[in-house]
Amino acid sequence: MDLKEKIRVIPDFPEKGISFKDITTLLKDKEALKYSIDKFTELAKDLDVDLVVGPEARGFIFGTALAYNINAGFVPIRKPGKLPHKILVQDYVLEYGKDSLEIHEDSIIPGQRILIIDDLLATGGTLLSTAKLIEQLKGEVVSIMTLIELTDLKGREKLSNYRVESLVSYPY
């Protein structure tokens, strides 16, 4: 299946010059959604993962399904102010702004094997910040997976210390 055919591209969103990859069209297509989850599951099946970690919000979509398929737990990485317990915070830069991510301090037991999953690898800021949070808690990042990679933004270079898998790539 060609997943690019299921992803809508919207020029100049959220600002001029950005080519937004809208995955809502893929998510509503049951065959495309199943295919995507099955591909992630195939990539993860031999990694001996304890936890799947997904950044808000689209990492939750793929992360919980993948965690279920590979018999792992799921940990959400949230945007500021949404976690009710003790947290760690990591700031990062997006391709069009700045933000921060948070994780509960007790989400990961030292030595646990972690797979990070999100919808998009662009500049690598979100995924690198997620990996740093995991490593602060002494988890081992064994893989990073994304639905889409924007290759011209060179986010993979920021993640060169990690195994990175993407199902679809675009120049930008």
Side-chain angles (χ1 to χ4, degrees), residues 39-55 59 62-64 66-67 70 72-77 108 112-118 127 130-131 134 139-146 162-165:
K39 292 298 276 186
F40 286 133
T41 301
E42 180 65 27
L43 291 169
K45 70 177 182 175
D46 295 324
L47 296 179
D48 191 28
V49 170
D50 297 303
L51 295 171
V52 175
V53 171
F62 296 106
T64 54
L66 177 59
I70 63 171
F74 177 78
V75 173
I77 299 286
I108 295 169
Q112 283 187 308
R113 294 174 56 82
I114 313 296
L115 184 155
I116 301 170
I117 190 165
D118 204 3
L127 293 166
T130 299
I134 291 163
E140 177 189 354
V141 177
V142 295
S143 185
I144 297 173
M145 296 184 187
T146 65
Y162 305 99
R163 172 186 168 162
V164 177
E165 305 273 357

Side-chain angles (χ1 to χ4, degrees), residues 1-171:
M1 173 178 294
D2 184 358
L3 292 177
K4 280 188 176 181
E5 292 178 1
K6 306 298 182 178
I7 298 168
R8 178 173 35 212
V9 178
I10 301 173
D12 298 324
F13 183 85
E15 60 186 51
K16 190 162 181 59
I18 303 290
S19 175
F20 188 81
K21 309 307 182 270
D22 179 12
I23 66 166
T24 61
T25 48
L26 179 145
L27 295 174
K28 74 177 186 175
D29 182 312
K30 65 183 178 183
E31 286 87 16
L33 178 59
K34 182 178 184 331
Y35 180 83
S36 299
I37 299 298
D38 288 349
K39 292 298 276 186
F40 286 133
T41 301
E42 180 65 27
L43 291 169
K45 70 177 182 175
D46 295 324
L47 296 179
D48 191 28
V49 170
D50 297 303
L51 295 171
V52 175
V53 171
E56 187 171 340
R58 293 182 195 104
F60 297 3
I61 296 167
F62 296 106
T64 54
L66 177 59
Y68 176 83
N69 279 353
I70 63 171
N71 196 32
F74 177 78
V75 173
I77 299 286
R78 300 297 311 261
K79 293 181 180 171
K82 296 187 177 181
L83 292 174
H85 193 55
K86 295 177 186 173
I87 57 166
L88 290 178
V89 178
Q90 183 71 46
D91 296 325
Y92 69 102
V93 177
L94 296 157
E95 71 263 33
Y96 49 84
K98 294 180 182 179
D99 212 340
S100 27
L101 296 173
E102 300 178 350
I103 189 171
H104 278 139
E105 288 181 350
D106 61 357
S107 293
I108 295 169
I109 297 168
Q112 283 187 308
R113 294 174 56 82
I114 313 296
L115 184 155
I116 301 170
I117 190 165
D118 204 3
D119 67 318
L120 180 69
L121 168 55
T123 64
T126 301
L127 293 166
L128 184 59
S129 293
T130 299
K132 286 180 180 179
L133 286 169
I134 291 163
E135 289 167 349
Q136 285 178 54
L137 295 173
K138 308 290 188 228
E140 177 189 354
V141 177
V142 295
S143 185
I144 297 173
M145 296 184 187
T146 65
L147 178 69
I148 299 168
E149 180 175 354
L150 304 178
T151 56
D152 288 354
L153 296 180
K154 303 193 185 306
R156 186 178 284 262
E157 291 176 11
K158 283 186 186 170
L159 303 171
S160 62
N161 292 333
Y162 305 99
R163 172 186 168 162
V164 177
E165 305 273 357
S166 299
L167 300 187
V168 176
S169 64
Y170 292 88

